[in-house]
Amino acid sequence: GKLYNYLLTKFNRLGVPTSIDFKVNIFDSFIAKFLNSVLKLVLCVNDDISLATVMKFDGFGFNEEELLEIRKKSDSEFFYEAVLNYKGDLRPRIDAILEFIDELKGKSTYSKVTDLIEDISKKVDMNKVLLSKPFGANLLASYERFVSYVGGLKYNDNLVDYLLYIQKLNEDKFAD
């Protein structure tokens, strides 16, 4: 983003050799977390945290009160089961998300991860969502860097391998 460019410019003007590694940090952005949550749901739709993350994203538009309403109407200890068993005004929006996850699941065996990300981005109108936020152009650039980075990974051809890579990155980050 702007801070990265600012620091790089300042250090270059001072003649200070600079290298910034963003391999792990690129996966910490809210955009990457959302996209990775959707991809996790493709393999395991009953991941409660990923499901709530996806539902709350602007492109799907559930707010905290709606998620709480879904949760309150169920005796289950799992959010996924509460979502499945929910009966109410939010049902059509819930069904749309679950059907989209099923659609991605069908494509996941023969699609590259970046192709799945493209499908997700189209579904939620990623450009519009990001550009509507403060510093939207920076967020869009961050999204594009993320997709480009994922496209260059050897794990781009296989969703399971990609998610195992993300899991390993997260484990390494918290290992110390």
Side-chain angles (χ1 to χ4, degrees):
K2 287 184 178 182
L3 178 60
Y4 169 84
N5 291 333
Y6 174 77
L7 291 174
L8 197 58
T9 302
K10 287 290 185 186
F11 284 130
N12 284 336
R13 284 186 189 154
L14 296 171
V16 176
T18 306
S19 172
I20 299 176
D21 183 8
F22 69 97
K23 289 180 184 177
V24 173
N25 293 339
I26 199 167
F27 291 104
D28 288 335
S29 72
F30 87 93
I31 302 158
K33 287 180 181 181
F34 162 73
L35 292 168
N36 287 333
S37 290
V38 176
L39 295 172
K40 285 179 192 175
L41 290 175
V42 169
L43 294 183
C44 182
V45 74
N46 61 349
D47 179 337
D48 288 347
I49 293 172
S50 293
L51 184 57
T53 299
V54 169
M55 291 175 75
K56 196 172 174 201
F57 188 76
D58 292 357
F60 290 114
F62 284 82
N63 61 40
E64 301 254 343
E65 292 80 25
E66 291 169 326
L67 295 179
L68 186 59
E69 175 188 333
I70 293 167
R71 187 71 197 103
K72 284 171 123 178
K73 290 191 174 189
S74 175
D75 293 331
S76 172
E77 67 179 287
F78 301 106
F79 182 66
Y80 172 72
E81 290 178 10
V83 168
L84 282 184
N85 297 322
Y86 176 83
K87 295 176 183 13
D89 295 340
L90 303 173
R91 187 80 242 166
R93 290 170 51 206
I94 290 170
D95 289 342
I97 290 174
L98 295 176
E99 288 168 10
F100 179 61
I101 297 301
D102 280 344
E103 179 184 321
L104 289 174
K105 188 177 292 192
K107 292 179 178 181
S108 69
T109 56
Y110 62 85
S111 295
K112 291 181 179 275
V113 173
T114 48
D115 293 337
L116 297 172
I117 289 173
E118 183 178 328
D119 288 346
I120 296 164
S121 299
K122 286 178 185 173
K123 178 72 173 179
V124 299
D125 200 356
M126 186 68 77
N127 289 358
K128 181 179 176 183
V129 168
L130 296 178
L131 290 173
S132 72
K133 295 188 172 300
F135 306 104
N138 288 344
L139 293 173
L140 187 58
S142 175
Y143 160 75
E144 290 167 352
R145 277 192 307 274
F146 172 76
V147 174
S148 175
Y149 182 79
V150 170
L153 291 174
K154 65 181 178 181
Y155 309 105
N156 185 37
D157 291 334
N158 184 292
L159 180 59
V160 173
D161 290 343
Y162 171 76
L163 291 174
L164 288 172
Y165 170 72
I166 298 303
Q167 181 179 349
K168 174 89 171 98
L169 280 179
N170 287 328
E171 288 170 359
D172 290 349
K173 186 168 39 172
F174 296 112
D176 299 326

